[in-house]
Amino acid sequence: MLNIVIFGAPGSGKGTQSDFIVKKYGLVHLSTGDILRAEIAKGSEIGKMADSLISKGNFIPDDLMINILNANIDLYPTAKGFIFDGFPRTLTQAEALDSMLKKRNIKISLMLNIDVQTNELVKRLLERGKTSGRSDDNLQTIHQRLQVYEAKTLPVIQFYDRQGKSNRINGTGTMEEVFAEICKAIDSVK
Ligand code: ATP
Ligand code: MG
């Protein structure tokens, strides 16, 4: 099984690159952002709670997020592997993911850390905000998301460093250039 964590700041291109990876390697894409936005669209209880947190640039509580991810893994019993996009975003989530996978006798093969500098992230997210319809793609929320990323999510890099699994990917080339670097990293562990 090939299980990938795709990691990076908001706007680093995790969703775009995940689509390419899914096409080439046939993995199941689990995007917590997409899952939460689907709950919001349905108007479920989880969606109602997520809506106000997301539009302010804050995280959904770890225990809820962990339960959601756990349930989503179980939807794909025959998966060849998973790409985890938007999870883990905290150290608690990283530890929970390891134990969730351990119970199923699988593990993370590698973590892709897509690196993009902050001014470029802000530019991309503002540009995306013109058409995305996302409540969090506005200047105020973007700043909050980047702050939360630095405070809560950056430590996750060391978590995978310690396991020798993190791979820094330069996220500022063309989409094709970024994908080529990603393929090199994936193919080196396959
Ligand atoms: P990208 O633009 O690179 O795809 P993103 O950071 O802009 O990523 P999503 O991954 O779509 O956005 O997540 C949107 C929001 O959903 C987050 O800002 C957060 O509020 C919430 N969220 C998503 N994943 C998690 C998580 N693992 N833990 C807590 N909250 C989360
Ligand atoms: Mg996304």
Side-chain angles (χ1 to χ4, degrees):
M1 242 185 152
L2 177 63
N3 296 301
I4 300 174
V5 168
I6 192 159
F7 179 95
S12 56
K14 300 184 292 284
T16 306
Q17 294 299 328
S18 293
D19 290 344
F20 291 150
I21 296 170
V22 166
K23 271 206 198 103
K24 178 158 175 182
Y25 297 94
L27 307 180
V28 171
H29 181 203
L30 293 182
S31 159
T32 49
D34 290 349
I35 292 167
L36 293 170
R37 284 185 288 275
E39 293 294 329
I40 294 172
K42 274 194 288 187
S44 68
E45 286 309 311
I46 288 174
K48 279 177 206 156
M49 180 187 182
D51 198 9
S52 61
L53 290 168
I54 289 178
S55 61
K56 292 192 183 79
N58 295 322
F59 282 172
I60 277 63
D62 279 337
D63 50 350
L64 178 59
M65 211 57 246
I66 290 164
N67 285 338
I68 292 173
L69 196 86
N70 205 24
N72 271 270
I73 293 176
D74 286 334
L75 297 177
Y76 305 95
T78 61
K80 287 204 300 184
F82 293 95
I83 173 154
F84 298 99
D85 167 2
F87 191 102
R89 257 181 159 94
T90 63
L91 274 179
T92 305
Q93 292 180 13
E95 279 155 10
L97 180 60
D98 269 5
S99 56
M100 267 184 246
L101 297 183
K102 205 167 182 186
K103 276 188 205 129
R104 296 168 172 90
N105 270 317
I106 56 179
K107 57 182 183 207
I108 294 299
S109 317
L110 80 165
M111 179 267 220
L112 301 164
N113 173 18
I114 309 185
D115 195 21
V116 176
Q117 56 196 50
T118 308
N119 56 346
E120 171 69 15
L121 294 169
V122 175
K123 210 174 88 186
R124 287 185 189 179
L125 292 167
L126 285 174
E127 191 58 36
R128 183 172 82 184
K130 291 179 187 167
T131 54
S132 68
R134 278 176 56 162
S135 64
D136 54 352
D137 285 343
N138 60 78
L139 198 55
Q140 197 185 347
T141 305
I142 289 166
H143 280 304
Q144 174 65 10
R145 287 157 73 195
L146 291 171
Q147 247 170 24
V148 173
Y149 173 77
E150 273 180 35
K152 297 192 178 167
T153 308
L154 271 182
V156 172
I157 298 176
Q158 277 93 56
F159 179 89
Y160 288 105
D161 264 342
R162 280 195 295 275
Q163 299 187 4
K165 290 180 181 171
S166 87
N167 294 263
R168 186 191 165 274
I169 304 291
N170 174 8
T172 48
T174 63
M175 286 187 246
E176 291 75 18
E177 283 164 353
V178 176
F179 186 54
E181 233 188 278
I182 285 178
C183 291
K184 234 191 251 170
I186 295 175
D187 293 338
S188 73
V189 300
K190 270 182 69 193

